[in-house]
Amino acid sequence: GENVEQHPSTLSVQEGDSAVIKCTYSDSASNYFPWYKQELGKRPQLIIDIRSNVGEKKDQRIAVTLNKTAKHFSLHITETQPEDSAVYFCAASQNSGYALNFGKGTSLLVTP
Amino acid sequence: NAGVTQTPKFRILKIGQSMTLQCAQDMNHNYMYWYRQDPGMGLKLIYYSVGAGITDKGEVPNGYNVSRSTTEDFPLRLELAAPSQTSVYFCATSPGLGRLTYNEQFFGPGTRLTVL
């Protein structure tokens, strides 16, 4: 089955700096790659996603890039703010049932 | 619209007890999922359903059962609860085949279950 690896497990940045989280996946059939933000005690919330026919997608301060050849994708957050502090999960999905295979998460701390 | 709702929010079970976690959605989504999230870990798929009457196992189905009699509801049944089932359980939905955003998943608020 699909295996999604996520790095780093923790990331601390100063407010205004950029943060990058990287994920790799094992199954070349995966074609959908969402990123979720989860605040403490809350549900995961979709923040951005990318499909395999696109190399990059941007939404204000966040962007995701996908390298299908290398089977990795990354989340980039620019001009970080304290409210960006949360756990971020990457995931990969194949066509079968569209279920998501999640990475183990990155705990991002943005200090003022 | 309520979106995806789950009940209860919290529950403590004794070893060997049974319970049903409820999940309901008013988004008219065809696909529904149950995940569990253990501390410091990602979410693991327990079961999923692509429509009423159709269910399939995920990565960690042992100790659980599901049914899907309607589009809106997807209950998760725990039989003979064990401490290893202590976790936070999330239900999720996605529009399904034929929709533009067919596999975007939306999560419920979760049920925190402790088995003692």
Side-chain angles (χ1 to χ4, degrees):
Chain A
E2 174 67 277
N3 183 41
V4 178
E5 300 279 346
Q6 183 172 347
H7 299 280
S9 57
T10 60
L11 180 59
S12 183
V13 300
Q14 287 208 312
E15 184 176 1
D17 288 348
S18 295
V20 180
I21 303 170
K22 299 182 179 181
C23 289
T24 61
Y25 61 99
S26 61
D27 193 335
S28 56
S30 291
N31 58 10
Y32 175 64
F33 307 92
W35 286 88
Y36 285 84
K37 176 184 181 181
Q38 187 177 31
E39 296 175 346
L40 191 63
K42 301 288 183 64
R43 75 188 81 189
Q45 299 267 23
L46 178 69
I47 56 171
I48 195 167
D49 58 12
I50 193 167
R51 299 183 189 274
S52 59
N53 59 346
V54 175
E56 184 173 358
K57 185 176 178 181
K58 197 171 182 180
D59 183 4
Q60 298 183 338
R61 295 187 298 109
I62 60 174
V64 57
T65 58
L66 171 65
N67 183 325
K68 284 167 46 182
T69 303
K71 288 191 275 189
H72 67 71
F73 56 112
S74 300
L75 177 72
H76 305 253
I77 306 174
T78 59
E79 301 172 26
T80 54
Q81 301 167 2
E83 51 265 39
D84 294 329
S85 297
V87 179
Y88 291 80
F89 292 97
C90 65
S93 172
Q94 305 164 35
N95 282 328
S96 175
Y98 308 139
L100 295 173
N101 295 284
F102 283 86
K104 292 186 178 180
T106 296
S107 179
L108 174 65
L109 177 64
V110 180
T111 54
Chain B
N1 290 346
V4 184
T5 59
Q6 291 183 238
T7 56
K9 291 183 180 179
F10 306 93
R11 184 73 186 268
I12 298 175
L13 282 182
K14 293 183 179 179
I15 294 172
Q17 287 185 321
S18 300
M19 76 164 293
T20 299
L21 282 67
Q22 301 292 345
C23 175
Q25 55 109 353
D26 62 1
M27 304 174 76
N28 197 28
H29 284 176
N30 291 323
Y31 288 33
M32 297 186 75
Y33 313 82
W34 275 106
Y35 294 91
R36 60 176 286 173
Q37 184 177 33
D38 298 326
M41 302 291 285
L43 289 84
K44 292 188 182 295
L45 182 69
I46 305 171
Y47 271 96
Y48 67 97
S49 168
V50 301
I54 306 170
T55 63
D56 209 346
K57 296 179 181 179
E59 184 182 357
V60 290
N62 292 344
Y64 307 94
N65 276 301
V66 294
S67 59
R68 181 104 181 264
S69 56
T70 67
T71 300
E72 293 78 20
D73 300 294
F74 190 38
L76 177 72
R77 178 85 178 159
L78 277 73
E79 305 282 1
L80 300 174
S84 60
Q85 292 178 305
T86 294
S87 190
V88 180
Y89 292 84
F90 287 100
C91 176
T93 72
S94 63
L97 196 62
R99 315 278 188 95
L100 185 62
T101 56
Y102 57 95
N103 52 2
E104 285 188 17
Q105 290 196 19
F106 299 88
F107 285 80
T111 294
R112 186 175 296 273
L113 176 68
T114 302
V115 182
L116 300 174

